[in-house]
Amino acid sequence: MELRIRGERAVLAGPGGEHAREVDPRRLAIGADLAQALHEWARVASAVSRTGPDAEVAGSVVSQRGRQLAGRLAAVMGTPVRFVDPVSGVETVVDPPPRAPGEREPRRARHRREPTPWFTGLTVSAFAAVLVVVAMLALAGTLARETSGWLAVLAALVVTGGIAPSLWLGRNLPILRWAVLGAGVGLVAAWVGVLVIVF
């Protein structure tokens, strides 16, 4: 996770700075006080950066406060936070503090360690696979019967090319990954059926 400033707002970005989004205490479960402190720090840092090179002392205070807030954020989220200093541009990785024996994990870290819902997930995957197979075979069968087999293959290629980017983007999302798995397996199985229907 990466902490940086965009305009006068604090934003968090995923690995590599991708998909930056504004700090929102409801979505990140970091608490309203920490989110407010991050946004206040961002406004001050933005004002200091506009004053120019004469604000060395203010810049060092902004940098120090940013590292403190990154430490609090790492502790709350239970994950390392890469802090991008708005004054110098230097990146620093702030690790969460070690937990004392018997201390509970942060809520977000506990959430990541929940057991995988195999039964429910595989049920969703099976449903998605059947849905994709039935849809692809109905399309290919109708086109092969009414027009030509090559048009059915072309239509199957268009459907596969259209759905593949969505499947790739959804492969790591906690709930959608099960439907993505099923749809991917369904596409492969449907292609076997499309080739049987056409040839």
PDB file of all heavy atoms in Angstrom, residues 8-46:
ATOM      1  N   GLU A   8      -4.911  18.352  -2.669  1.00  0.00           N
ATOM      2  CA  GLU A   8      -4.917  18.594  -1.226  1.00  0.00           C
ATOM      3  C   GLU A   8      -5.530  17.421  -0.477  1.00  0.00           C
ATOM      4  O   GLU A   8      -5.988  17.569   0.650  1.00  0.00           O
ATOM      5  CB  GLU A   8      -5.693  19.874  -0.914  1.00  0.00           C
ATOM      6  CG  GLU A   8      -5.014  21.128  -1.411  1.00  0.00           C
ATOM      7  CD  GLU A   8      -5.695  22.388  -0.926  1.00  0.00           C
ATOM      8  OE1 GLU A   8      -6.769  22.298  -0.303  1.00  0.00           O
ATOM      9  OE2 GLU A   8      -5.152  23.468  -1.179  1.00  0.00           O
ATOM     10  N   ARG A   9      -5.551  16.234  -1.083  1.00  0.00           N
ATOM     11  CA  ARG A   9      -6.147  15.062  -0.448  1.00  0.00           C
ATOM     12  C   ARG A   9      -5.103  13.959  -0.331  1.00  0.00           C
ATOM     13  O   ARG A   9      -4.244  13.806  -1.197  1.00  0.00           O
ATOM     14  CB  ARG A   9      -7.332  14.537  -1.266  1.00  0.00           C
ATOM     15  CG  ARG A   9      -8.409  15.551  -1.534  1.00  0.00           C
ATOM     16  CD  ARG A   9      -9.035  16.130  -0.317  1.00  0.00           C
ATOM     17  NE  ARG A   9      -9.981  15.209   0.298  1.00  0.00           N
ATOM     18  CZ  ARG A   9     -10.600  15.444   1.438  1.00  0.00           C
ATOM     19  NH1 ARG A   9     -10.381  16.543   2.091  1.00  0.00           N
ATOM     20  NH2 ARG A   9     -11.440  14.580   1.917  1.00  0.00           N
ATOM     21  N   ALA A  10      -5.186  13.190   0.730  1.00  0.00           N
ATOM     22  CA  ALA A  10      -4.334  12.012   0.896  1.00  0.00           C
ATOM     23  C   ALA A  10      -4.974  10.866   0.144  1.00  0.00           C
ATOM     24  O   ALA A  10      -6.181  10.650   0.224  1.00  0.00           O
ATOM     25  CB  ALA A  10      -4.203  11.658   2.376  1.00  0.00           C
ATOM     26  N   VAL A  11      -4.165  10.124  -0.622  1.00  0.00           N
ATOM     27  CA  VAL A  11      -4.679   8.982  -1.371  1.00  0.00           C
ATOM     28  C   VAL A  11      -3.827   7.765  -1.064  1.00  0.00           C
ATOM     29  O   VAL A  11      -2.650   7.865  -0.730  1.00  0.00           O
ATOM     30  CB  VAL A  11      -4.701   9.232  -2.905  1.00  0.00           C
ATOM     31  CG1 VAL A  11      -5.668  10.324  -3.268  1.00  0.00           C
ATOM     32  CG2 VAL A  11      -3.309   9.547  -3.427  1.00  0.00           C
ATOM     33  N   LEU A  12      -4.458   6.608  -1.160  1.00  0.00           N
ATOM     34  CA  LEU A  12      -3.770   5.335  -1.006  1.00  0.00           C
ATOM     35  C   LEU A  12      -3.787   4.645  -2.349  1.00  0.00           C
ATOM     36  O   LEU A  12      -4.798   4.639  -3.042  1.00  0.00           O
ATOM     37  CB  LEU A  12      -4.465   4.460   0.036  1.00  0.00           C
ATOM     38  CG  LEU A  12      -4.404   4.982   1.463  1.00  0.00           C
ATOM     39  CD1 LEU A  12      -5.242   4.118   2.371  1.00  0.00           C
ATOM     40  CD2 LEU A  12      -2.982   5.019   1.954  1.00  0.00           C
ATOM     41  N   ALA A  13      -2.661   4.058  -2.714  1.00  0.00           N
ATOM     42  CA  ALA A  13      -2.558   3.355  -3.990  1.00  0.00           C
ATOM     43  C   ALA A  13      -2.121   1.932  -3.733  1.00  0.00           C
ATOM     44  O   ALA A  13      -1.461   1.634  -2.736  1.00  0.00           O
ATOM     45  CB  ALA A  13      -1.549   4.055  -4.906  1.00  0.00           C
ATOM     46  N   GLY A  14      -2.488   1.045  -4.658  1.00  0.00           N
ATOM     47  CA  GLY A  14      -2.071  -0.345  -4.562  1.00  0.00           C
ATOM     48  C   GLY A  14      -0.612  -0.491  -4.952  1.00  0.00           C
ATOM     49  O   GLY A  14       0.095   0.492  -5.160  1.00  0.00           O
ATOM     50  N   PRO A  15      -0.126  -1.733  -5.090  1.00  0.00           N
ATOM     51  CA  PRO A  15       1.262  -1.958  -5.469  1.00  0.00           C
ATOM     52  C   PRO A  15       1.586  -1.264  -6.782  1.00  0.00           C
ATOM     53  O   PRO A  15       0.817  -1.319  -7.728  1.00  0.00           O
ATOM     54  CB  PRO A  15       1.345  -3.482  -5.623  1.00  0.00           C
ATOM     55  CG  PRO A  15       0.205  -4.006  -4.819  1.00  0.00           C
ATOM     56  CD  PRO A  15      -0.870  -2.963  -4.883  1.00  0.00           C
ATOM     57  N   GLY A  16       2.740  -0.583  -6.819  1.00  0.00           N
ATOM     58  CA  GLY A  16       3.157   0.106  -8.019  1.00  0.00           C
ATOM     59  C   GLY A  16       2.443   1.428  -8.236  1.00  0.00           C
ATOM     60  O   GLY A  16       2.539   2.038  -9.281  1.00  0.00           O
ATOM     61  N   GLY A  17       1.669   1.894  -7.222  1.00  0.00           N
ATOM     62  CA  GLY A  17       0.972   3.162  -7.356  1.00  0.00           C
ATOM     63  C   GLY A  17      -0.281   3.094  -8.205  1.00  0.00           C
ATOM     64  O   GLY A  17      -0.824   4.104  -8.608  1.00  0.00           O
ATOM     65  N   GLU A  18      -0.766   1.894  -8.501  1.00  0.00           N
ATOM     66  CA  GLU A  18      -1.927   1.743  -9.358  1.00  0.00           C
ATOM     67  C   GLU A  18      -3.212   1.930  -8.565  1.00  0.00           C
ATOM     68  O   GLU A  18      -3.272   1.639  -7.389  1.00  0.00           O
ATOM     69  CB  GLU A  18      -1.947   0.351  -9.987  1.00  0.00           C
ATOM     70  CG  GLU A  18      -0.759   0.093 -10.879  1.00  0.00           C
ATOM     71  CD  GLU A  18      -0.725  -1.344 -11.364  1.00  0.00           C
ATOM     72  OE1 GLU A  18      -1.652  -2.102 -11.046  1.00  0.00           O
ATOM     73  OE2 GLU A  18       0.245  -1.680 -12.043  1.00  0.00           O
ATOM     74  N   HIS A  19      -4.234   2.409  -9.240  1.00  0.00           N
ATOM     75  CA  HIS A  19      -5.586   2.530  -8.692  1.00  0.00           C
ATOM     76  C   HIS A  19      -5.601   3.381  -7.417  1.00  0.00           C
ATOM     77  O   HIS A  19      -6.123   2.965  -6.393  1.00  0.00           O
ATOM     78  CB  HIS A  19      -6.200   1.160  -8.398  1.00  0.00           C
ATOM     79  CG  HIS A  19      -6.126   0.212  -9.543  1.00  0.00           C
ATOM     80  ND1 HIS A  19      -6.752   0.447 -10.740  1.00  0.00           N
ATOM     81  CD2 HIS A  19      -5.459  -0.955  -9.680  1.00  0.00           C
ATOM     82  CE1 HIS A  19      -6.503  -0.546 -11.553  1.00  0.00           C
ATOM     83  NE2 HIS A  19      -5.710  -1.409 -10.953  1.00  0.00           N
ATOM     84  N   ALA A  20      -5.009   4.565  -7.469  1.00  0.00           N
ATOM     85  CA  ALA A  20      -5.010   5.441  -6.295  1.00  0.00           C
ATOM     86  C   ALA A  20      -6.435   5.873  -5.986  1.00  0.00           C
ATOM     87  O   ALA A  20      -7.206   6.194  -6.872  1.00  0.00           O
ATOM     88  CB  ALA A  20      -4.126   6.660  -6.548  1.00  0.00           C
ATOM     89  N   ARG A  21      -6.789   5.850  -4.716  1.00  0.00           N
ATOM     90  CA  ARG A  21      -8.118   6.295  -4.308  1.00  0.00           C
ATOM     91  C   ARG A  21      -7.983   7.099  -3.024  1.00  0.00           C
ATOM     92  O   ARG A  21      -7.080   6.874  -2.232  1.00  0.00           O
ATOM     93  CB  ARG A  21      -9.059   5.116  -4.110  1.00  0.00           C
ATOM     94  CG  ARG A  21      -8.625   4.139  -3.048  1.00  0.00           C
ATOM     95  CD  ARG A  21      -9.551   2.936  -3.034  1.00  0.00           C
ATOM     96  NE  ARG A  21      -9.226   2.057  -1.942  1.00  0.00           N
ATOM     97  CZ  ARG A  21      -8.345   1.085  -2.004  1.00  0.00           C
ATOM     98  NH1 ARG A  21      -7.675   0.869  -3.102  1.00  0.00           N
ATOM     99  NH2 ARG A  21      -8.108   0.319  -0.962  1.00  0.00           N
ATOM    100  N   GLU A  22      -8.907   8.032  -2.853  1.00  0.00           N
ATOM    101  CA  GLU A  22      -8.868   8.905  -1.696  1.00  0.00           C
ATOM    102  C   GLU A  22      -9.071   8.098  -0.414  1.00  0.00           C
ATOM    103  O   GLU A  22      -9.807   7.118  -0.393  1.00  0.00           O
ATOM    104  CB  GLU A  22      -9.957   9.962  -1.836  1.00  0.00           C
ATOM    105  CG  GLU A  22      -9.932  10.997  -0.761  1.00  0.00           C
ATOM    106  CD  GLU A  22     -10.955  12.089  -1.011  1.00  0.00           C
ATOM    107  OE1 GLU A  22     -11.050  12.575  -2.147  1.00  0.00           O
ATOM    108  OE2 GLU A  22     -11.657  12.433  -0.040  1.00  0.00           O
ATOM    109  N   VAL A  23      -8.414   8.539   0.637  1.00  0.00           N
ATOM    110  CA  VAL A  23      -8.552   7.881   1.931  1.00  0.00           C
ATOM    111  C   VAL A  23      -9.997   8.029   2.390  1.00  0.00           C
ATOM    112  O   VAL A  23     -10.507   9.134   2.502  1.00  0.00           O
ATOM    113  CB  VAL A  23      -7.584   8.503   2.963  1.00  0.00           C
ATOM    114  CG1 VAL A  23      -7.852   7.950   4.343  1.00  0.00           C
ATOM    115  CG2 VAL A  23      -6.145   8.256   2.556  1.00  0.00           C
ATOM    116  N   ASP A  24     -10.651   6.930   2.625  1.00  0.00           N
ATOM    117  CA  ASP A  24     -12.048   6.921   3.059  1.00  0.00           C
ATOM    118  C   ASP A  24     -12.140   5.984   4.259  1.00  0.00           C
ATOM    119  O   ASP A  24     -11.914   4.788   4.127  1.00  0.00           O
ATOM    120  CB  ASP A  24     -12.946   6.430   1.924  1.00  0.00           C
ATOM    121  CG  ASP A  24     -14.418   6.490   2.282  1.00  0.00           C
ATOM    122  OD1 ASP A  24     -14.748   6.786   3.450  1.00  0.00           O
ATOM    123  OD2 ASP A  24     -15.244   6.243   1.396  1.00  0.00           O
ATOM    124  N   PRO A  25     -12.464   6.513   5.451  1.00  0.00           N
ATOM    125  CA  PRO A  25     -12.483   5.658   6.644  1.00  0.00           C
ATOM    126  C   PRO A  25     -13.521   4.541   6.584  1.00  0.00           C
ATOM    127  O   PRO A  25     -13.343   3.501   7.185  1.00  0.00           O
ATOM    128  CB  PRO A  25     -12.791   6.634   7.787  1.00  0.00           C
ATOM    129  CG  PRO A  25     -13.396   7.821   7.140  1.00  0.00           C
ATOM    130  CD  PRO A  25     -12.818   7.892   5.753  1.00  0.00           C
ATOM    131  N   ARG A  26     -14.602   4.729   5.816  1.00  0.00           N
ATOM    132  CA  ARG A  26     -15.624   3.678   5.746  1.00  0.00           C
ATOM    133  C   ARG A  26     -15.130   2.501   4.925  1.00  0.00           C
ATOM    134  O   ARG A  26     -15.405   1.360   5.237  1.00  0.00           O
ATOM    135  CB  ARG A  26     -16.913   4.233   5.153  1.00  0.00           C
ATOM    136  CG  ARG A  26     -17.593   5.255   6.051  1.00  0.00           C
ATOM    137  CD  ARG A  26     -18.651   5.945   5.284  1.00  0.00           C
ATOM    138  NE  ARG A  26     -18.026   6.523   4.102  1.00  0.00           N
ATOM    139  CZ  ARG A  26     -18.425   7.618   3.497  1.00  0.00           C
ATOM    140  NH1 ARG A  26     -19.457   8.255   3.941  1.00  0.00           N
ATOM    141  NH2 ARG A  26     -17.806   8.089   2.442  1.00  0.00           N
ATOM    142  N   ARG A  27     -14.421   2.773   3.819  1.00  0.00           N
ATOM    143  CA  ARG A  27     -13.982   1.694   2.947  1.00  0.00           C
ATOM    144  C   ARG A  27     -12.724   1.016   3.464  1.00  0.00           C
ATOM    145  O   ARG A  27     -12.493  -0.148   3.202  1.00  0.00           O
ATOM    146  CB  ARG A  27     -13.728   2.238   1.536  1.00  0.00           C
ATOM    147  CG  ARG A  27     -15.025   2.593   0.842  1.00  0.00           C
ATOM    148  CD  ARG A  27     -14.833   3.189  -0.506  1.00  0.00           C
ATOM    149  NE  ARG A  27     -13.974   2.394  -1.347  1.00  0.00           N
ATOM    150  CZ  ARG A  27     -13.348   2.867  -2.400  1.00  0.00           C
ATOM    151  NH1 ARG A  27     -13.486   4.119  -2.735  1.00  0.00           N
ATOM    152  NH2 ARG A  27     -12.583   2.094  -3.134  1.00  0.00           N
ATOM    153  N   LEU A  28     -11.880   1.746   4.182  1.00  0.00           N
ATOM    154  CA  LEU A  28     -10.611   1.174   4.622  1.00  0.00           C
ATOM    155  C   LEU A  28     -10.613   0.767   6.083  1.00  0.00           C
ATOM    156  O   LEU A  28      -9.659   0.186   6.558  1.00  0.00           O
ATOM    157  CB  LEU A  28      -9.479   2.184   4.391  1.00  0.00           C
ATOM    158  CG  LEU A  28      -9.221   2.520   2.924  1.00  0.00           C
ATOM    159  CD1 LEU A  28      -8.194   3.627   2.827  1.00  0.00           C
ATOM    160  CD2 LEU A  28      -8.746   1.302   2.180  1.00  0.00           C
ATOM    161  N   ALA A  29     -11.649   1.096   6.819  1.00  0.00           N
ATOM    162  CA  ALA A  29     -11.758   0.761   8.244  1.00  0.00           C
ATOM    163  C   ALA A  29     -10.541   1.262   9.013  1.00  0.00           C
ATOM    164  O   ALA A  29      -9.929   0.536   9.777  1.00  0.00           O
ATOM    165  CB  ALA A  29     -11.939  -0.748   8.427  1.00  0.00           C
ATOM    166  N   ILE A  30     -10.188   2.548   8.796  1.00  0.00           N
ATOM    167  CA  ILE A  30      -9.042   3.119   9.507  1.00  0.00           C
ATOM    168  C   ILE A  30      -9.475   4.099  10.580  1.00  0.00           C
ATOM    169  O   ILE A  30      -8.646   4.554  11.351  1.00  0.00           O
ATOM    170  CB  ILE A  30      -8.072   3.822   8.532  1.00  0.00           C
ATOM    171  CG1 ILE A  30      -8.752   4.979   7.821  1.00  0.00           C
ATOM    172  CG2 ILE A  30      -7.473   2.831   7.566  1.00  0.00           C
ATOM    173  CD1 ILE A  30      -7.806   5.841   6.997  1.00  0.00           C
ATOM    174  N   GLY A  31     -10.729   4.438  10.616  1.00  0.00           N
ATOM    175  CA  GLY A  31     -11.213   5.371  11.620  1.00  0.00           C
ATOM    176  C   GLY A  31     -11.255   6.786  11.075  1.00  0.00           C
ATOM    177  O   GLY A  31     -10.391   7.202  10.302  1.00  0.00           O
ATOM    178  N   ALA A  32     -12.255   7.524  11.502  1.00  0.00           N
ATOM    179  CA  ALA A  32     -12.450   8.885  11.001  1.00  0.00           C
ATOM    180  C   ALA A  32     -11.335   9.814  11.443  1.00  0.00           C
ATOM    181  O   ALA A  32     -10.932  10.709  10.705  1.00  0.00           O
ATOM    182  CB  ALA A  32     -13.802   9.418  11.472  1.00  0.00           C
ATOM    183  N   ASP A  33     -10.810   9.624  12.674  1.00  0.00           N
ATOM    184  CA  ASP A  33      -9.767  10.521  13.162  1.00  0.00           C
ATOM    185  C   ASP A  33      -8.481  10.389  12.353  1.00  0.00           C
ATOM    186  O   ASP A  33      -7.847  11.379  12.002  1.00  0.00           O
ATOM    187  CB  ASP A  33      -9.501  10.288  14.642  1.00  0.00           C
ATOM    188  CG  ASP A  33      -9.068   8.856  14.944  1.00  0.00           C
ATOM    189  OD1 ASP A  33      -9.434   7.942  14.170  1.00  0.00           O
ATOM    190  OD2 ASP A  33      -8.375   8.654  15.962  1.00  0.00           O
ATOM    191  N   LEU A  34      -8.088   9.169  12.001  1.00  0.00           N
ATOM    192  CA  LEU A  34      -6.878   8.967  11.197  1.00  0.00           C
ATOM    193  C   LEU A  34      -7.088   9.494   9.780  1.00  0.00           C
ATOM    194  O   LEU A  34      -6.200  10.142   9.213  1.00  0.00           O
ATOM    195  CB  LEU A  34      -6.476   7.495  11.172  1.00  0.00           C
ATOM    196  CG  LEU A  34      -5.231   7.148  10.355  1.00  0.00           C
ATOM    197  CD1 LEU A  34      -4.028   7.974  10.802  1.00  0.00           C
ATOM    198  CD2 LEU A  34      -4.925   5.658  10.468  1.00  0.00           C
ATOM    199  N   ALA A  35      -8.250   9.263   9.199  1.00  0.00           N
ATOM    200  CA  ALA A  35      -8.530   9.780   7.854  1.00  0.00           C
ATOM    201  C   ALA A  35      -8.501  11.302   7.848  1.00  0.00           C
ATOM    202  O   ALA A  35      -7.928  11.916   6.938  1.00  0.00           O
ATOM    203  CB  ALA A  35      -9.883   9.271   7.366  1.00  0.00           C
ATOM    204  N   GLN A  36      -9.083  11.921   8.873  1.00  0.00           N
ATOM    205  CA  GLN A  36      -9.074  13.378   8.956  1.00  0.00           C
ATOM    206  C   GLN A  36      -7.656  13.899   9.126  1.00  0.00           C
ATOM    207  O   GLN A  36      -7.272  14.887   8.494  1.00  0.00           O
ATOM    208  CB  GLN A  36      -9.959  13.847  10.109  1.00  0.00           C
ATOM    209  CG  GLN A  36     -10.061  15.357  10.217  1.00  0.00           C
ATOM    210  CD  GLN A  36     -10.973  15.793  11.349  1.00  0.00           C
ATOM    211  OE1 GLN A  36     -11.527  14.976  12.060  1.00  0.00           O
ATOM    212  NE2 GLN A  36     -11.116  17.092  11.507  1.00  0.00           N
ATOM    213  N   ALA A  37      -6.855  13.229   9.956  1.00  0.00           N
ATOM    214  CA  ALA A  37      -5.462  13.644  10.147  1.00  0.00           C
ATOM    215  C   ALA A  37      -4.674  13.535   8.848  1.00  0.00           C
ATOM    216  O   ALA A  37      -3.855  14.405   8.526  1.00  0.00           O
ATOM    217  CB  ALA A  37      -4.811  12.797  11.238  1.00  0.00           C
ATOM    218  N   LEU A  38      -4.925  12.491   8.075  1.00  0.00           N
ATOM    219  CA  LEU A  38      -4.236  12.328   6.791  1.00  0.00           C
ATOM    220  C   LEU A  38      -4.603  13.442   5.824  1.00  0.00           C
ATOM    221  O   LEU A  38      -3.739  13.996   5.124  1.00  0.00           O
ATOM    222  CB  LEU A  38      -4.561  10.962   6.186  1.00  0.00           C
ATOM    223  CG  LEU A  38      -3.869   9.768   6.841  1.00  0.00           C
ATOM    224  CD1 LEU A  38      -4.526   8.472   6.400  1.00  0.00           C
ATOM    225  CD2 LEU A  38      -2.394   9.752   6.511  1.00  0.00           C
ATOM    226  N   HIS A  39      -5.882  13.794   5.765  1.00  0.00           N
ATOM    227  CA  HIS A  39      -6.302  14.854   4.850  1.00  0.00           C
ATOM    228  C   HIS A  39      -5.793  16.228   5.308  1.00  0.00           C
ATOM    229  O   HIS A  39      -5.405  17.055   4.475  1.00  0.00           O
ATOM    230  CB  HIS A  39      -7.813  14.865   4.692  1.00  0.00           C
ATOM    231  CG  HIS A  39      -8.332  13.710   3.899  1.00  0.00           C
ATOM    232  ND1 HIS A  39      -7.842  13.388   2.649  1.00  0.00           N
ATOM    233  CD2 HIS A  39      -9.279  12.781   4.169  1.00  0.00           C
ATOM    234  CE1 HIS A  39      -8.460  12.325   2.188  1.00  0.00           C
ATOM    235  NE2 HIS A  39      -9.333  11.928   3.096  1.00  0.00           N
ATOM    236  N   GLU A  40      -5.760  16.483   6.622  1.00  0.00           N
ATOM    237  CA  GLU A  40      -5.201  17.744   7.120  1.00  0.00           C
ATOM    238  C   GLU A  40      -3.724  17.832   6.773  1.00  0.00           C
ATOM    239  O   GLU A  40      -3.226  18.875   6.345  1.00  0.00           O
ATOM    240  CB  GLU A  40      -5.410  17.856   8.632  1.00  0.00           C
ATOM    241  CG  GLU A  40      -6.834  18.144   9.025  1.00  0.00           C
ATOM    242  CD  GLU A  40      -7.044  18.090  10.533  1.00  0.00           C
ATOM    243  OE1 GLU A  40      -6.074  17.825  11.271  1.00  0.00           O
ATOM    244  OE2 GLU A  40      -8.186  18.311  10.962  1.00  0.00           O
ATOM    245  N   TRP A  41      -3.005  16.727   6.955  1.00  0.00           N
ATOM    246  CA  TRP A  41      -1.579  16.692   6.601  1.00  0.00           C
ATOM    247  C   TRP A  41      -1.395  16.973   5.111  1.00  0.00           C
ATOM    248  O   TRP A  41      -0.483  17.705   4.716  1.00  0.00           O
ATOM    249  CB  TRP A  41      -0.996  15.335   6.992  1.00  0.00           C
ATOM    250  CG  TRP A  41       0.321  15.045   6.365  1.00  0.00           C
ATOM    251  CD1 TRP A  41       1.534  15.582   6.710  1.00  0.00           C
ATOM    252  CD2 TRP A  41       0.576  14.160   5.280  1.00  0.00           C
ATOM    253  NE1 TRP A  41       2.510  15.073   5.896  1.00  0.00           N
ATOM    254  CE2 TRP A  41       1.951  14.207   5.015  1.00  0.00           C
ATOM    255  CE3 TRP A  41      -0.233  13.337   4.499  1.00  0.00           C
ATOM    256  CZ2 TRP A  41       2.539  13.454   4.004  1.00  0.00           C
ATOM    257  CZ3 TRP A  41       0.347  12.582   3.504  1.00  0.00           C
ATOM    258  CH2 TRP A  41       1.716  12.653   3.257  1.00  0.00           C
ATOM    259  N   ALA A  42      -2.259  16.408   4.262  1.00  0.00           N
ATOM    260  CA  ALA A  42      -2.154  16.623   2.823  1.00  0.00           C
ATOM    261  C   ALA A  42      -2.374  18.094   2.469  1.00  0.00           C
ATOM    262  O   ALA A  42      -1.667  18.639   1.610  1.00  0.00           O
ATOM    263  CB  ALA A  42      -3.154  15.735   2.083  1.00  0.00           C
ATOM    264  N   ARG A  43      -3.343  18.747   3.135  1.00  0.00           N
ATOM    265  CA  ARG A  43      -3.584  20.162   2.856  1.00  0.00           C
ATOM    266  C   ARG A  43      -2.373  21.016   3.259  1.00  0.00           C
ATOM    267  O   ARG A  43      -1.968  21.907   2.524  1.00  0.00           O
ATOM    268  CB  ARG A  43      -4.841  20.636   3.587  1.00  0.00           C
ATOM    269  CG  ARG A  43      -6.127  20.199   2.906  1.00  0.00           C
ATOM    270  CD  ARG A  43      -7.339  20.919   3.461  1.00  0.00           C
ATOM    271  NE  ARG A  43      -7.615  20.607   4.854  1.00  0.00           N
ATOM    272  CZ  ARG A  43      -8.307  19.550   5.276  1.00  0.00           C
ATOM    273  NH1 ARG A  43      -8.795  18.695   4.399  1.00  0.00           N
ATOM    274  NH2 ARG A  43      -8.516  19.351   6.555  1.00  0.00           N
ATOM    275  N   VAL A  44      -1.796  20.725   4.419  1.00  0.00           N
ATOM    276  CA  VAL A  44      -0.620  21.476   4.867  1.00  0.00           C
ATOM    277  C   VAL A  44       0.556  21.228   3.930  1.00  0.00           C
ATOM    278  O   VAL A  44       1.272  22.157   3.539  1.00  0.00           O
ATOM    279  CB  VAL A  44      -0.256  21.097   6.318  1.00  0.00           C
ATOM    280  CG1 VAL A  44       1.081  21.694   6.719  1.00  0.00           C
ATOM    281  CG2 VAL A  44      -1.348  21.549   7.275  1.00  0.00           C
ATOM    282  N   ALA A  45       0.756  19.972   3.537  1.00  0.00           N
ATOM    283  CA  ALA A  45       1.863  19.645   2.629  1.00  0.00           C
ATOM    284  C   ALA A  45       1.688  20.340   1.294  1.00  0.00           C
ATOM    285  O   ALA A  45       2.664  20.834   0.703  1.00  0.00           O
ATOM    286  CB  ALA A  45       1.948  18.133   2.432  1.00  0.00           C
ATOM    287  N   SER A  46       0.464  20.428   0.799  1.00  0.00           N
ATOM    288  CA  SER A  46       0.206  21.112  -0.461  1.00  0.00           C
ATOM    289  C   SER A  46       0.504  22.599  -0.337  1.00  0.00           C
ATOM    290  O   SER A  46       1.101  23.197  -1.238  1.00  0.00           O
ATOM    291  CB  SER A  46      -1.251  20.887  -0.874  1.00  0.00           C
ATOM    292  OG  SER A  46      -1.540  21.567  -2.060  1.00  0.00           O
TER     293      SER A  46
END
